[in-house]
Amino acid sequence: MEKTEMLKINKNCWDLVAPKFFGVDSLPKYGPFTVTEDEINLFDTIKHRKVLEIGCGSGHSLKYMEENGAQELWGIDLSSSQIEIAKATLKELKPRLFCAAMEDEIGIPKDHFDIVYSIYALGWTIDLSKTLELIYSYLKKDGSFIFSWEHPIYPYVKCESNSLILKGSYQKEGYEVWDSFKGENLPIVMPRRKLSTYINKLVEAGFKIEKVIEGEVSSEYDGQNEDFSSNYYSLYKTRIVPNTFIIKARK
Ligand SMILES: C[S@@+](CC[C@H](N)C(=O)[O-])C[C@H]1O[C@@H](n2cnc3c(N)ncnc32)[C@H](O)[C@@H]1O
């Protein structure tokens, strides 16, 4: 399938499911049950910084940036529904929001941003090399790129019959086409990549990698032990298999 066709399918689906992600994957959270920005401080200083979010969704992470003193708020998202929701979330502010694919050159300024970040959105890219090349170009020298995404091993470990079972192939990369997403009967294209692919593509794009975090559980859950659960996300499973990875890289 052509890249443009995959993006069209994903845009249609995200336009429909957007309300189901209202404030769901947003800073200070990096992912379900995972350590938060308050615990790991990857962003250093946000005050007076120019920031760009890739896959800004409902705008709640940009709101967090504003609350922490960012000087300029920029966001890109494929879904026009998400952009409308983000505008409402950020209505008192003056964000620059673009309905566009992260893979596309849309005139975002080069060498402009102190921080580019993405919370549970980068992995949707159909073209990781192009996306990272663009992100690198948007950053000032020494600027940082911080992102979180589902840990690539997580979907292959299933909780069934009181056991964790490995199903499918972590080694096999490519594009899965699902018939439905979030209970809606519209197809969506889910790229599958290994952790090493993210790391190697960052290096190829010119980034220096400063930190890789493999989904440690947040201290918020200290002392809580969850019994076996067959839910896709559970504290039980996350204590055994990381559900999120976070990378900080620098131009
Ligand atoms: C889980 S949401 C991110 C939520 C966001 N971090 C927040 O704070 O609301 C993933 C987002 O990625 C967007 N997305 C998916 N594919 C994209 C692409 N190719 N280019 C830009 N955005 C994309 C979706 O529309 C969706 O809003």
Side-chain angles (χ1 to χ4, degrees):
M1 202 188 295
E2 292 283 315
K3 174 180 145 182
T4 47
E5 180 63 16
M6 291 196 253
L7 285 173
K8 202 169 139 203
I9 289 172
N10 283 5
K11 177 172 165 33
N12 278 344
C13 192
W14 276 106
D15 278 344
L16 188 65
V17 301
K20 301 186 181 196
F21 284 84
F22 189 75
V24 169
D25 293 310
S26 308
L27 287 169
K29 293 203 162 123
Y30 281 105
F33 302 109
T34 301
V35 281
T36 65
E37 172 58 11
D38 298 334
E39 293 169 276
I40 55 178
N41 299 312
L42 293 185
F43 280 79
D44 307 321
T45 308
I46 295 171
K47 208 170 167 56
H48 305 313
R49 298 295 191 242
K50 296 173 182 168
V51 306
L52 165 66
E53 180 168 4
I54 305 294
C56 61
S58 57
H60 287 84
S61 295
L62 282 168
K63 195 159 195 280
Y64 173 87
M65 287 289 142
E66 191 273 335
E67 286 161 0
N68 283 280
Q71 185 189 331
E72 285 182 16
L73 303 175
W74 297 60
I76 305 173
D77 201 286
L78 182 65
S79 156
S80 36
S81 309
Q82 288 287 46
I83 291 291
E84 288 311 310
I85 293 168
K87 277 185 189 159
T89 304
L90 302 163
K91 63 180 178 303
E92 308 300 333
L93 314 170
K94 289 195 179 60
R96 276 163 260 204
L97 299 176
F98 300 85
C99 183
M102 62 179 101
E103 299 84 343
D104 289 347
E105 182 80 68
I106 55 158
I108 300 274
K110 308 286 183 191
D111 303 307
H112 182 80
F113 294 94
D114 302 288
I115 303 168
V116 179
Y117 68 95
S118 182
I119 310 300
Y120 261 75
L122 183 79
W124 285 109
T125 184
I126 300 303
D127 186 341
L128 184 60
S129 297
K130 182 66 191 172
T131 300
L132 293 176
E133 182 194 309
L134 285 171
I135 291 170
Y136 189 86
S137 73
Y138 303 147
L139 282 166
K140 291 177 185 168
K141 186 176 177 308
D142 294 324
S144 44
F145 175 44
I146 298 157
F147 74 93
S148 69
W149 181 245
E150 182 173 72
H151 196 293
I153 193 70
Y154 194 76
Y156 297 109
V157 180
K158 312 280 182 195
C159 291
E160 289 175 12
S161 316
N162 270 314
S163 302
L164 294 182
I165 300 166
L166 191 62
K167 274 196 175 166
S169 169
Y170 173 74
Q171 299 282 20
K172 193 173 157 216
E173 299 189 294
Y175 302 95
E176 287 176 6
V177 183
W178 299 350
D179 294 337
S180 61
F181 183 52
K182 289 285 158 190
E184 300 291 349
N185 286 325
L186 266 188
I188 198 160
V189 181
M190 167 58 81
R192 291 290 185 210
R193 305 179 178 98
K194 299 201 289 186
L195 184 57
S196 55
T197 298
Y198 285 96
I199 292 171
N200 291 328
K201 295 280 182 196
L202 281 162
V203 173
E204 278 168 28
F207 284 102
K208 287 178 287 231
I209 293 173
E210 290 194 349
K211 195 128 194 156
V212 179
I213 293 172
E214 286 194 277
E216 286 84 354
V217 173
S218 167
S219 58
E220 192 186 322
Y221 301 98
D222 281 359
Q224 283 187 41
N225 277 312
E226 199 178 84
D227 291 335
F228 179 83
S229 164
S230 54
N231 291 343
Y232 185 73
Y233 290 117
S234 70
L235 185 55
Y236 171 84
K237 185 173 168 187
T238 309
R239 288 212 189 279
I240 300 166
V241 191
N243 67 37
T244 300
F245 73 98
I246 309 165
I247 295 188
K248 178 175 184 179
R250 199 174 289 279
K251 178 166 177 176

